[in-house]
Amino acid sequence: MKTSQIKTFLSVVRNGSVAAAARELNRSRTTVSTVLASLEDELGVELFERSGNQLHLTAIGQSILTDCRRFDQVAGQILARCQHHLSGAESVLRIARDDSIPEDIWRDILRRLKQRFPQTSLSIYLAPPRELPPLVRNQSVDVAYGLMPELLNEGYQWFRELADVRMLTVAAPDHPLSQLKRVTQDDLISHTEITLAYMQDSLLVAESPETANYLAFTQYELIRDAVMDGAGWADLPLPLIAEALRKEQLKTIHHRSARWWKVFSALESEQAQGGAVVGWLANELEAYLETLS
């Protein structure tokens, strides 16, 4: 039994006649009739009752219809997986990332990724930037994306810089720092800093706070929300806070170092290097970040 026979059978069922099925399949009526007859010969049963130009399923034809539809679906999946493999696309991809890019942007990119590579299965882990390199190094994930520390290409990892991301020192509009015409380092130190936290040697630590008075979270999004609530000031990536700045929910403070840059990078394992999905994803992230530069 061939997939072409099952497809022809299902087309005749949908269209009700050999002529209509031939038009749908872009084949001659003779070819469709021959394929259908060969299927009936192979199965040893009549699948249709003929009434003029119309065909109606016999009882046995009706009873195998669901199985034939499953057969066609499975055959399509097998073909798609083989084509997916031949294209060089990964079958399974484990991704770690930070949240410096807004969630709605990630959702849109991943939606389009699944449209482009429907056979690729994805697992995604959210982590602070400093936890990303060890996840790749320990082979917990295949690739990591984020504002991670600059690394040298070493061992089995490949470090790829995708774009510069502007970092802004911000506070809520009614925060005392936002009211100052000029903010000094002493002013910063006198107010709560909200910064990143990450796991280091099984211990939760804050990432380079400029003051002993800090509040640390493992996600940029939590930091942003805390700043908007007036809990303190923070350095945050522009992609994540652009909307809040536009709505005047956040304000860049007047400090000489309130605007600076970090590099958004990809760290790929040896297994992920050169993969079609990894390459596509890096290009999409780079293209998005370029729109903000």
Side-chain angles (χ1 to χ4, degrees):
M1 190 172 2
K2 298 179 180 179
T3 56
S4 60
Q5 293 173 317
I6 299 300
K7 286 185 179 295
T8 300
F9 167 70
L10 293 174
S11 180
V12 173
V13 171
R14 283 193 300 272
N15 293 282
S17 72
V18 168
R23 287 193 295 272
E24 180 182 79
L25 297 171
N26 196 27
R27 293 183 175 182
S28 68
R29 284 180 291 177
T30 300
T31 299
V32 172
S33 295
T34 299
V35 172
L36 194 58
S38 69
L39 177 61
E40 291 179 319
D41 289 343
E42 184 174 343
L43 296 176
V45 296
E46 289 189 359
L47 299 174
F48 294 97
E49 294 175 348
R50 278 75 174 172
S51 175
N53 292 328
Q54 295 297 309
L55 298 179
H56 304 282
L57 283 170
T58 60
I60 185 61
Q62 185 67 50
S63 71
I64 70 170
L65 179 58
T66 298
D67 289 332
C68 287
R69 286 171 175 159
R70 290 187 184 130
F71 183 105
D72 184 53
Q73 183 180 22
V74 171
Q77 291 173 345
I78 292 171
L79 179 60
R81 288 187 185 280
C82 291
Q83 292 175 335
H84 185 80
H85 172 74
L86 291 173
S87 73
E90 303 89 324
S91 298
V92 177
L93 190 62
R94 301 166 302 165
I95 298 171
R97 66 173 181 87
D98 68 12
D99 65 335
S100 56
I101 290 177
E103 290 301 312
D104 60 334
I105 300 300
W106 268 108
R107 287 197 302 271
D108 178 66
I109 290 175
L110 293 174
R111 175 185 59 81
R112 291 186 287 108
L113 187 155
K114 287 296 291 181
Q115 291 175 341
R116 176 68 176 82
F117 304 99
Q119 300 300 323
T120 296
S121 296
L122 301 172
S123 298
I124 300 168
Y125 184 71
L126 187 63
R130 287 189 178 272
E131 290 185 26
L132 297 177
L135 290 171
V136 178
R137 184 170 58 248
N138 297 334
Q139 300 182 4
S140 299
V141 299
D142 302 303
V143 59
Y145 301 97
L147 298 175
M148 66 190 87
E150 184 176 357
L151 302 173
L152 296 176
N153 295 332
E154 58 178 286
Y156 301 108
Q157 291 86 44
W158 181 43
F159 188 73
R160 175 178 174 184
E161 296 183 353
L162 299 182
D164 291 326
V165 171
R166 182 178 289 278
M167 301 291 294
L168 300 175
T169 306
V170 295
D174 57 353
H175 189 276
L177 291 176
S178 297
Q179 311 304 314
L180 298 176
K181 292 184 178 180
R182 179 175 177 271
V183 176
T184 67
Q185 194 66 21
D186 287 340
D187 293 325
L188 290 179
I189 293 174
S190 65
H191 291 86
T192 300
E193 177 185 4
I194 309 179
T195 188
L196 280 169
Y198 65 99
M199 295 299 296
Q200 184 179 57
D201 300 325
S202 301
L203 183 67
L204 185 64
V205 298
E207 181 179 293
S208 304
E210 296 187 32
T211 171
N213 178 19
Y214 62 83
L215 180 62
F217 295 100
T218 58
Q219 295 178 28
Y220 282 120
E221 187 173 298
L222 297 177
I223 297 174
R224 179 200 62 191
D225 293 347
V227 173
M228 289 170 58
D229 289 340
W233 61 273
D235 295 318
L236 287 168
L238 178 59
L240 189 65
I241 61 173
E243 183 70 9
L245 289 170
R246 187 183 67 81
K247 293 181 177 180
E248 298 184 348
Q249 296 169 317
L250 289 174
K251 184 177 179 180
T252 304
I253 67 173
H254 298 291
H255 184 264
R256 65 179 182 275
S257 301
R259 293 173 173 83
W260 49 290
W261 300 87
K262 273 191 173 183
V263 180
F264 188 94
S265 305
L267 183 62
E268 302 171 5
S269 67
E270 182 183 35
Q271 293 81 6
Q273 290 178 30
V277 180
V278 167
W280 183 92
L281 184 52
N283 290 337
E284 290 296 314
L285 291 168
E286 186 175 11
Y288 163 71
L289 291 170
E290 284 179 353
T291 65
L292 301 175
S293 60

